[in-house]
Amino acid sequence: MILDITAQSTKSACMCGSYSFEVPVHEDVSGDKVWQLKATGCIATTQSRFAPGHDAKLKSLIIQAGAGGHQVRRIERHTVVAKDALRVAADLGWEDLVCGTIARGSS
């Protein structure tokens, strides 16, 4: 039996799981700011950039961040990059869709 190792592809983490943003909740009694993390919560693996339907999850997250005026963070290994939601959408090729939805104020 001959095994074709080229047919076996490796799975990697779904891209949507590396994006998040933070929403300020309140300031506690000691003056520390408390934030709530908003993320897709994705831990899926895939052979492409996104697990099925997870591009929509990420679009929704970016729209929520943009509508709230929050920066979107992407964690890549040990590096965190924060950008305006529209810049993130543009990087992913979704600028027109996301911009229009943010302008209408919906997700």
Side-chain angles (χ1 to χ4, degrees):
M1 177 177 163
I2 299 174
L3 180 62
D4 182 8
I5 60 170
T6 60
Q8 298 175 355
S9 59
T10 59
K11 288 189 173 191
S12 57
C14 176
M15 273 184 60
C16 81
S18 63
Y19 290 86
S20 65
F21 69 96
E22 296 172 344
V23 177
V25 178
H26 67 274
E27 201 169 293
D28 67 14
V29 294
S30 63
D32 295 331
K33 293 181 181 177
V34 178
W35 300 78
Q36 181 181 25
L37 181 66
K38 300 286 187 172
T40 63
C42 177
I43 57 169
T45 57
T46 182
Q47 293 176 349
S48 59
R49 290 180 4 160
F50 300 102
H54 287 223
D55 56 332
K57 278 183 160 189
L58 181 55
K59 285 176 196 166
S60 179
L61 184 81
I62 293 169
I63 291 166
Q64 289 174 19
H70 307 291
Q71 289 214 321
V72 177
R73 295 183 314 164
R74 179 167 187 226
I75 299 172
E76 192 172 324
R77 298 183 191 209
H78 301 289
T79 304
V80 179
V81 177
K83 293 184 182 182
D84 176 81
L86 292 178
R87 285 189 56 212
V88 173
D91 291 348
L92 295 167
W94 303 334
E95 186 175 22
D96 291 340
L97 171 71
V98 170
C99 181
T101 307
I102 290 171
R104 288 190 302 277
S106 62
S107 62

